[in-house]
């Protein structure tokens, strides 16, 4: 949701309108994501406007750098839970990965989120070979100590070049095997891409393995709205976007907007798929990015 000059960015009331329409289609969970949602100066108004609609979930994914000092306002506005990127607990590694020296801000922000009652709080750790793949145990200890959920995420080939992907992509098989052995309970989360949550008794860990994973795509129920007002059926594709911003700005009524949502839903298909298997086409979650 970056605010660039001259950028055709969705306004608060336009976001609210689209969420209202999507609710009519049975979508009642919304996550604000990015880019970075907290760079918008009107983010509190956005959360308020969405929350007023009466959804079962209003969540946010953030890099956490601007969370400190803002959490109580976000919680008052109706934010229920948050996912915070925390790739490393070592300042130099954190800076190398994120490009900014803000580890302490992120940690303070997510502890503030806990104090404000946001729940659950998930730590997003994208595993990067040779950079932070030795830190999983430290991140587990940190999450355990503060009552957070750790999400270990496979690097996706989105928005990065092939060299970067080849250099830093780390498979999650070993950590998954270890979790399988140690878990006292394993939950398969049907509406979360069938991803597994491993309950270690004193800590929950999720493993997010989207790459070359037909099962993950088969259970994908999300639809995205980009910051410039396009419905985006799949994170990996830009050739099937549906423009809703123009329709909203030209005064389209709910029926016309519903048709555009249906067009985007019809365009959905699993990106990674096995021959002969059809994908889930419905959407239950909206991501505003
Ligand atoms: S269909 Fe696209 S958005 Fe959904 S899980 Fe697969 S790659 Fe991701």
């Amino acid at each position: 949701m970056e605010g660039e000059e001259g950028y055709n960015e969705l306004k608060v009331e336009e976001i609210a309108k689209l969420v209202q329409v999507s609710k009519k289609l049975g979508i009642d969970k919304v996550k604000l994501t990015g880019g970075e949602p907290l760079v918008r100066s009107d983010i509190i108004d956005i959360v308020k406007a969405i929350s007023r609609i009466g959804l079962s979930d209003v969540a946010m994914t953030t890099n956490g750098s601007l969370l400190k000092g803002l959490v109580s306002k976000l919680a008052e506005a109706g934010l229920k839970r948050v996912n915070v990127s925390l790739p490393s607990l070592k300042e130099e590694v954190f800076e190398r990965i994120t490009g900014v020296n803000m580890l302490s801000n992120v940690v303070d922000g997510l502890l503030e989120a806990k104090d404000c009652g946001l729940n659950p709080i998930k730590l997003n750790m994208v595993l990067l070979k040779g950079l932070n793949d030795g830190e999983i145990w430290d991140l587990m200890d940190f999450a355990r100590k503060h009552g957070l959920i750790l999400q270990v995420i496979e690097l996706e080939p989105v928005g990065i070049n092939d060299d970067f992907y080849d250099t830093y992509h780390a498979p999650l098989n070993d950590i998954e095997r270890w979790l399988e052995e140690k878990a006292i309970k394993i939950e398969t989360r049907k509406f979360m891409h069938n991803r597994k949550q491993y309950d270690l008794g004193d800590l929950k860990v999720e493993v997010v393995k989207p790459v070359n994973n037909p099962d993950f795509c088969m259970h994908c129920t999300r639809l995205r709205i980009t910051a410039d007002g396009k419905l985006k059926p799949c994170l990996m594709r830009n050739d099937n976007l549906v423009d809703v911003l123009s329709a909203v700005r030209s005064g389209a009524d709910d029926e016309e907007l519903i048709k555009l949502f249906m067009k985007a839903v019809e365009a959905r298909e699993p990106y990674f798929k096995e021959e002969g298997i059809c994908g889930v086409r419905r959407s239950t979650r909206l991501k505003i990015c």
Side-chain angles (χ1 to χ4, degrees):
M1 296 172 51
E2 299 88 15
E4 292 169 20
E5 210 176 324
Y7 191 60
N8 234 352
E9 191 173 71
L10 281 169
K11 300 187 175 86
V12 177
E13 59 278 14
E14 292 167 343
I15 293 172
K17 175 75 185 166
L18 292 169
V19 172
Q20 269 163 1
V21 167
S22 65
K23 196 185 174 198
K24 288 189 174 180
L25 289 164
I27 297 172
D28 73 341
K29 295 181 174 131
V30 170
K31 183 180 273 183
L32 296 161
T33 173
E36 171 50 45
L38 294 180
V39 297
R40 274 195 64 149
S41 56
D42 54 1
I43 189 65
I44 303 293
D45 294 333
I46 292 172
V47 174
K48 258 187 213 157
I50 292 173
S51 300
R52 268 192 220 115
I53 294 166
L55 305 165
S56 69
D57 192 22
V58 179
M60 180 182 288
T61 297
T62 169
N63 64 27
S65 59
L66 300 170
L67 206 49
K68 190 179 167 186
L70 206 59
V71 186
S72 61
K73 286 187 189 140
L74 288 165
E76 272 168 33
L79 188 71
K80 292 190 163 72
R81 61 189 185 88
V82 73
N83 291 10
V84 181
S85 300
L86 188 64
S88 173
L89 290 166
K90 296 177 183 163
E91 278 187 12
E92 67 284 6
V93 179
F94 183 93
E95 186 171 356
R96 199 165 156 212
I97 293 172
T98 63
V100 288
N101 179 9
M102 297 194 86
L103 174 60
S104 59
N105 283 51
V106 174
V107 170
D108 289 352
L110 66 89
L111 296 181
E112 206 173 295
K114 195 173 173 229
D115 288 345
C116 287
L118 297 191
N119 185 39
I121 298 169
K122 292 187 181 179
L123 300 181
N124 287 353
M125 179 199 198
V126 176
L127 204 66
L128 299 167
K129 188 166 64 191
L131 283 179
N132 66 356
D133 51 351
E135 276 195 73
I136 287 189
W137 316 112
D138 293 343
L139 264 293
M140 278 192 195
D141 285 345
F142 180 86
R144 185 181 287 116
K145 181 175 165 198
H146 296 291
L148 314 174
I149 294 174
L150 178 65
Q151 288 199 120
V152 185
I153 303 171
E154 185 179 20
L155 179 67
E156 282 188 86
V158 180
I160 54 174
N161 62 40
D162 291 350
D163 281 351
F164 187 95
Y165 181 74
D166 292 343
T167 305
Y168 295 113
H169 176 260
L172 305 188
N173 301 348
D174 287 350
I175 178 67
E176 211 169 16
R177 261 195 298 275
W178 184 89
L179 290 166
E180 263 161 28
E181 275 174 27
K182 303 288 178 197
I184 54 170
K185 191 172 147 206
I186 301 173
E187 188 190 341
T188 300
R189 313 197 68 211
K190 197 170 153 220
F191 290 109
M192 297 286 284
H193 300 100
N194 244 17
R195 75 172 64 152
K196 293 210 169 76
Q197 188 179 78
Y198 298 88
D199 187 345
L200 302 177
D202 54 1
L203 168 70
K204 287 182 177 162
V205 180
E206 290 184 9
V207 172
V208 185
K209 275 201 328 185
V211 180
N212 292 321
N213 187 345
D215 191 50
F216 194 85
C217 288
M218 272 267 291
H219 293 85
C220 173
T221 58
R222 295 167 191 208
L223 192 61
R224 291 165 179 77
I225 303 181
T226 64
D228 61 348
K230 309 269 194 315
L231 291 169
K232 185 173 166 68
C234 174
L235 186 64
M236 301 285 281
R237 293 175 57 174
N238 283 318
D239 61 351
N240 58 358
L241 305 182
V242 177
D243 178 17
V244 280
L245 181 69
S246 311
V248 169
R249 289 197 178 162
S250 62
D253 62 19
D254 286 8
E255 286 312 307
E256 290 168 89
L257 293 173
I258 283 172
K259 279 187 190 147
L260 293 174
F261 270 84
M262 292 311 294
K263 189 175 168 191
V265 171
E266 284 303 313
R268 299 190 60 178
E269 62 172 314
Y271 184 78
F272 299 110
K273 57 190 162 194
E274 280 163 341
E275 208 59 35
I277 298 179
C278 295
V280 174
R281 282 188 175 273
R282 78 191 151 201
S283 296
T284 62
R285 288 164 192 263
L286 198 61
K287 275 191 160 189
I288 301 171
C289 45

